[in-house]
Amino acid sequence: PHTETDALEQALRLHRQGAVMEAIGRYRALLQANPNNADALYYLATALYQQRQYDESQRLVAQALAINPRLARAHRLLGLLYERQGRMDQALASVDQAVACQPDLAEAYGTRGDMLTAIGRLQDALASYDRALALRPNSASDWCNRGTVLEIGRAHV
């Protein structure tokens, strides 16, 4: 790769193709050259989250946010990490921060809907899925999760 951007794109391509361990190596190499690359920190944190290395993932995502506090995807990932720890207030606050930073981040609305469903706030969850679907109308998971919320709601009537 000729530039840092090229190297990051190559690592991302590997990551998307499922070569997660190879991508992790590339992200780490990028960060050795530039420890302040917030995107590389975020993508490495994501890959480690996928590998269930939650502590290191959380440390790296916090580093990414220290460098770029407006990195919406990183706020969403931090929310997922808090959710894993059962810290739902912080999880929702992080996902809300993702939405505040990037109002068109459909994934954040879907994640928010999942979290709200888990704590029984069904109307709020529906509103989040509706927003996600307005941004990403072909999302099977958001449609499915929205339907699940409607089923849960019907069962509680």
Side-chain angles (χ1 to χ4, degrees):
H2 300 286
T3 68
E4 197 171 326
T5 303
D6 291 339
L8 185 59
E9 284 175 14
Q10 276 194 353
L12 270 170
R13 201 169 11 258
L14 288 165
H15 194 162
R16 286 189 191 108
Q17 292 167 351
V20 180
M21 297 313 292
E22 191 174 344
I24 286 172
R26 300 278 182 105
Y27 296 137
R28 289 191 193 282
L30 263 164
L31 288 166
Q32 276 200 305
N34 177 6
N36 294 319
N37 184 323
D39 289 320
L41 284 163
Y42 162 75
Y43 289 118
L44 177 56
T46 298
L48 292 170
Y49 177 87
Q50 292 166 336
Q51 297 294 307
R52 295 179 166 79
Q53 295 181 35
Y54 303 120
D55 291 343
E56 189 177 2
S57 177
Q58 190 158 351
R59 185 179 59 73
L60 292 166
V61 81
Q63 258 181 275
L65 286 168
I67 294 163
N68 181 0
R70 302 217 29 94
L71 192 57
R73 300 178 315 262
H75 284 289
R76 177 181 167 268
L77 177 58
L78 187 58
L80 291 169
L81 286 156
Y82 283 141
E83 181 183 34
R84 289 204 53 76
Q85 298 165 1
R87 298 160 68 183
M88 289 307 286
D89 288 346
Q90 287 167 292
L92 278 167
S94 291
V95 174
D96 287 343
Q97 187 63 42
V99 167
C101 291
Q102 188 179 339
D104 66 346
L105 186 62
E107 295 84 357
Y109 291 101
T111 299
R112 188 173 187 277
D114 298 344
M115 290 176 179
L116 291 166
T117 300
I119 61 173
R121 288 176 48 192
L122 302 183
Q123 287 307 115
D124 293 335
L126 279 178
S128 284
Y129 290 129
D130 287 344
R131 184 74 180 112
L133 288 162
L135 294 165
R136 188 174 62 171
N138 296 326
S139 170
S141 63
D142 290 334
W143 279 112
C144 183
N145 292 337
R146 186 182 191 284
T148 300
V149 169
L150 291 172
E151 278 299 310
I152 294 168
R154 193 170 312 147
H156 283 90
V157 174

